[in-house]
Amino acid sequence: MTTVINTTIGEAKGGVARLWLEGQKLVHAGVKVGAKYLLRSNEASKRLELVPVSGETMEAGSFTVSKRERNGVVTPLLEVRTDLLKKFFEGCEKVRVAIRSGRIVVTALQIDLKIKERVERIKRKLTEKVALAKGSLYHGSGIIDKALHSGLLVAGVASFIQVGVEVDSNYLDASLRNNPELWTEESIAINTDIRDLTLSGDVPQLDCVVAGIPCTGASRSGRSKNKIQNAEEHSSAGTLFIDFLDFVKASNPAICIIENVPEYLDSVSMTVIRSVLTSLGYVLHETVFRGADFGVLEDRKRMVVVAITKGLGEGFTFPTATDVKPVKVGDILEQIPEDSPRWKSYEYLAAKEERDIAAGKGFKRQLVTADSTSVGTVGRGYFKGRSTEPFLLHPDPSKSELSRLFTATEHARLKGIPPSMVDGLSETIAHEVLGQSVVYPVFQAVGEALGMALTNQVINPVYTALQEDGIDSYCMQICGGGMCGIGPVCHM
């Protein structure tokens, strides 16, 4: 019979690491009271073996199985004291002990090995100035990814999309066309429903996974429209968080970034995500950002979760509101002639407003002017001309019954998004892309904060050591910092 025990490494008196095993499970695996074991180590595989030995002579590094008696039941007890436990399993909270036919093998838990691998991988890449490989799920046209990419670069951290997954062909095409800095020859662009994505052996190891998990069932309007009580009931989007978690397990990223509506923080989905990511060795940072705090006109609120592997980015904190010059709607407008057919009376919306007010619903049209300093959320279906979203009033007071929708370029500017990101799309699809996206400067700031936390922890200590070795002046004279392999970022 085989027994597997996942247990913690303790500490005996004097600070020596200790492994404590006892119970009937040892008996069933062939461990007998009085048996002697010799400890053997395999440095290459970080593996310790306790091999049964015969004879009465105790060798150095050998251990004897003692016993414990409780309620008339005698069970074997084996205590292994050795600093090899610390040496081999540094950074591991637990070890895996496999026992068969009396032979005992001690290895690190698979999850601890994964944690260690991703920490070492990202530290090596940061030190060697290798671009971080990102996975982008529910990619859209790449707005979040482009903002994060821009912010990371400010901190001296390069990145690219290794795997991008998007179900809508138009959105993915727009990203490939308009974001050449995100995609490389190594990139894998996947046009599929994520539920149809094959994970077995096809997903490379990634450094960061970014997911704007669809919020169709999480937002208040989404729950109301679909007549559901919670996000998980939604027929198509309710279980997509599971696919995100499966992708994380397969790609083993050092960092995960999640975006959604604020209500998602209190969802069952987020509860599960927290639990799973924590068990996988991530430390979660959660907040809600307002667009107005980052100098944009659309005061969109968005939940942002940054999950960082423990041992990385220990100084990470979310960015705070920026001190920016106030913006008015007039600052982002295109030159639309006053006699353009875009100006309409929208009589059906005016009539609906009257009905809603009469019914005590309190709904009113959102009409803004060039002097307005904020607008409400502009959603995915904006081009349909819905009563709850902003319209621009005609500048001529004598034509106050006329208003128009913002153009796609103006919509992008309302969110601080570079309008070039929707080049080549029809106005309808451009509004779809933008309406379900994010406030761009928020994710630029998150990317910069994350990049600074990583470089401050990984790169700056290396540069400090180089300074102490007298390499600083040499680097600057010869190549501005490049001789060490760190590059100019170490001088920030």
Side-chain angles (χ1 to χ4, degrees):
M1 180 176 178
T2 300
T3 294
V4 177
I5 305 168
N6 291 337
T7 185
T8 56
I9 298 174
E11 190 172 272
K13 291 181 179 180
V16 179
R18 179 182 70 175
L19 181 64
W20 183 280
L21 304 171
E22 68 171 308
Q24 288 297 314
K25 49 190 172 291
L26 301 187
V27 175
H28 286 283
V31 177
K32 300 177 180 179
V33 174
K36 294 179 175 61
Y37 282 85
L38 180 65
L39 182 66
R40 292 178 179 171
S41 61
N42 186 319
E43 178 75 28
S45 61
K46 300 298 181 185
R47 170 190 178 110
L48 295 179
E49 293 187 35
L50 289 157
V51 183
V53 292
S54 59
E56 298 181 359
T57 304
M58 292 291 288
E59 302 180 38
S62 61
F63 304 88
T64 301
V65 180
S66 58
K67 65 180 180 180
R68 185 195 294 275
E69 183 174 346
R70 287 179 177 171
N71 302 319
V73 178
V74 176
T75 57
L77 184 156
L78 178 60
E79 181 183 18
V80 179
R81 299 187 186 188
T82 173
D83 282 330
L84 285 175
L85 290 166
K86 283 184 179 180
K87 179 181 178 181
F88 277 33
F89 308 116
E90 181 181 4
C92 299
E93 295 181 358
K94 293 183 178 181
V95 290
R96 178 181 187 271
V97 182
I99 312 171
R100 182 177 178 83
S101 301
R103 191 183 187 96
I104 303 171
V105 178
V106 184
T107 56
L109 284 182
Q110 189 65 27
I111 182 59
D112 284 330
L113 291 175
K114 285 193 169 187
I115 292 171
K116 186 175 182 180
E117 187 279 329
R118 62 190 187 229
V119 169
E120 291 177 350
R121 169 168 27 98
I122 202 166
K123 284 185 175 181
R124 174 183 55 79
K125 286 189 173 184
L126 289 168
T127 302
E128 297 176 359
K129 299 296 291 176
V130 176
L132 302 186
K134 294 193 301 182
S136 177
L137 308 183
Y138 324 105
H139 177 72
S141 66
I143 293 172
I144 295 178
D145 293 277
K146 188 160 185 159
L148 289 169
H149 176 87
S150 175
L152 284 167
L153 276 181
V154 173
V157 179
S159 65
F160 74 102
I161 294 177
Q162 177 86 68
V163 179
V165 183
E166 171 53 45
V167 66
D168 191 294
S169 179
N170 290 315
Y171 298 177
L172 184 58
D173 284 351
S175 180
L176 291 167
R177 180 175 59 249
N178 299 327
N179 306 317
E181 72 275 33
L182 299 183
W183 303 90
T184 73
E185 289 297 321
E186 298 179 50
S187 300
I188 305 170
I190 305 176
N191 183 197
T192 184
D193 185 320
I194 193 170
R195 291 168 293 191
D196 298 328
L197 183 66
T198 302
L199 294 178
S200 56
D202 295 339
V203 178
Q205 298 296 277
L206 301 170
D207 303 309
C208 179
V209 168
V210 180
I213 301 174
C215 62
T216 314
S219 65
R220 293 177 185 177
S221 60
R223 294 199 302 271
S224 175
K225 178 181 178 180
N226 292 283
K227 297 180 174 57
I228 57 178
Q229 296 298 312
N230 54 64
E232 296 70 36
E233 288 184 59
H234 194 276
S235 58
S236 62
T239 61
L240 292 180
F241 73 96
I242 297 174
D243 301 284
F244 159 73
L245 290 172
D246 287 343
F247 189 89
V248 168
K249 290 179 181 179
S251 60
N252 198 36
I255 300 157
C256 300
I257 299 174
I258 308 168
E259 171 272 334
N260 215 304
V261 293
E263 292 87 351
Y264 203 77
L265 282 171
D266 299 320
S267 67
V268 174
S269 303
M270 192 61 220
T271 299
V272 175
I273 289 172
R274 284 190 195 97
S275 177
V276 173
L277 291 185
T278 300
S279 71
L280 294 176
Y282 297 93
V283 177
L284 274 64
H285 306 263
E286 305 176 17
T287 194
V288 173
F289 284 112
R290 293 182 56 204
D293 291 335
F294 288 80
V296 298
L297 286 159
E298 185 186 314
D299 194 19
R300 172 174 289 221
K301 295 180 180 178
R302 267 300 186 265
M303 171 207 89
V304 180
V305 175
V306 177
I308 307 174
T309 300
K310 54 188 177 183
L312 278 177
E314 294 174 352
F316 174 79
T317 57
F318 280 114
T320 54
T322 55
D323 183 15
V324 294
K325 179 182 177 182
V327 182
K328 293 183 179 180
V329 168
D331 297 331
I332 61 92
L333 296 178
E334 293 191 278
Q335 295 298 318
I336 303 296
E338 292 187 8
D339 60 351
S340 168
R342 296 185 71 96
W343 300 103
K344 301 176 183 179
S345 61
Y346 291 101
E347 294 176 354
Y348 69 96
L349 292 180
K352 182 178 185 303
E353 182 181 53
E354 290 182 5
R355 292 196 303 271
D356 287 340
I357 292 174
K361 294 182 179 180
F363 293 136
K364 296 185 68 175
R365 290 188 66 193
Q366 188 186 156
L367 300 172
V368 300
T369 70
D371 291 326
S372 298
T373 56
S374 69
V375 302
T377 299
V378 185
R380 182 178 188 273
Y382 182 64
F383 201 68
K384 296 177 182 178
R386 302 180 294 191
S387 61
T388 55
E389 290 170 314
F391 288 72
L392 180 67
L393 276 172
H394 197 284
D396 186 344
S398 67
K399 299 180 179 180
S400 60
E401 78 282 3
L402 300 180
S403 61
R404 71 170 175 85
L405 293 168
F406 289 105
T407 67
T409 293
E410 292 166 344
H411 185 171
R413 291 171 179 169
L414 289 173
K415 291 179 167 73
I417 298 170
S420 61
M421 295 200 70
V422 290
D423 282 353
L425 293 175
S426 69
E427 191 154 15
T428 301
I429 295 178
H431 281 304
E432 283 185 9
V433 168
L434 296 166
Q436 56 193 330
S437 187
V438 298
V439 170
Y440 191 86
V442 167
F443 284 86
Q444 275 185 310
V446 169
E448 182 178 354
L450 177 60
M452 292 304 295
L454 293 173
T455 56
N456 285 339
Q457 180 183 353
V458 177
I459 295 178
N460 288 350
V462 175
Y463 178 61
T464 299
L466 290 172
Q467 285 181 307
E468 292 172 353
D469 289 339
I471 298 177
D472 179 33
S473 61
Y474 177 79
C475 284
M476 295 305 294
Q477 290 173 24
I478 300 301
C479 66
M483 290 294 290
C484 61
I486 299 174
V489 69
C490 62
H491 299 286
M492 294 180 64

